Amino acid sequence: MRVLYFAWLRQRTGAGEEEVSPPAEVADVGGLMRWLAARSPGHAAAFADPAQVRAAVNQEFCGPEHPVAPGDEVAFFPPVTGG
């Protein structure tokens, strides 16, 4: 699974992207966020407030209940504001 980080998530994790192999019990975006948060202090900081993180799976915006699978591309980014 390819995970991409944008904006302050990239700064906190220290990576723009990484290849991960979460355990089988990680079945959705919310579970992936919890699993990633346990990987390092930087990841924990990035996902400390899940309400401030948006996600896309295979370039489609989605919520925390959206399923994830091996081979997916999952992107995490802050909420987007217009002006």
Side-chain angles (χ1 to χ4, degrees), residues 2-76:
R2 183 174 179 216
V3 179
L4 308 174
Y5 303 102
F6 294 93
W8 52 260
L9 289 123
R10 171 184 240 162
Q11 293 171 332
R12 291 180 186 170
T13 61
E17 67 180 74
E18 60 184 333
E19 291 288 330
V20 299
S21 297
E25 61 266 16
V26 174
D28 59 24
V29 170
L32 179 61
M33 291 170 66
R34 289 186 294 277
W35 181 77
L36 289 168
R39 293 191 63 177
S40 75
H43 286 80
F47 295 106
D49 185 359
Q52 294 301 312
V53 179
R54 300 295 177 261
V57 175
N58 300 321
Q59 301 183 4
E60 295 286 332
F61 292 111
C62 63
E65 70 290 339
H66 192 281
V68 294
D72 281 346
E73 177 188 85
V74 183
F76 293 108

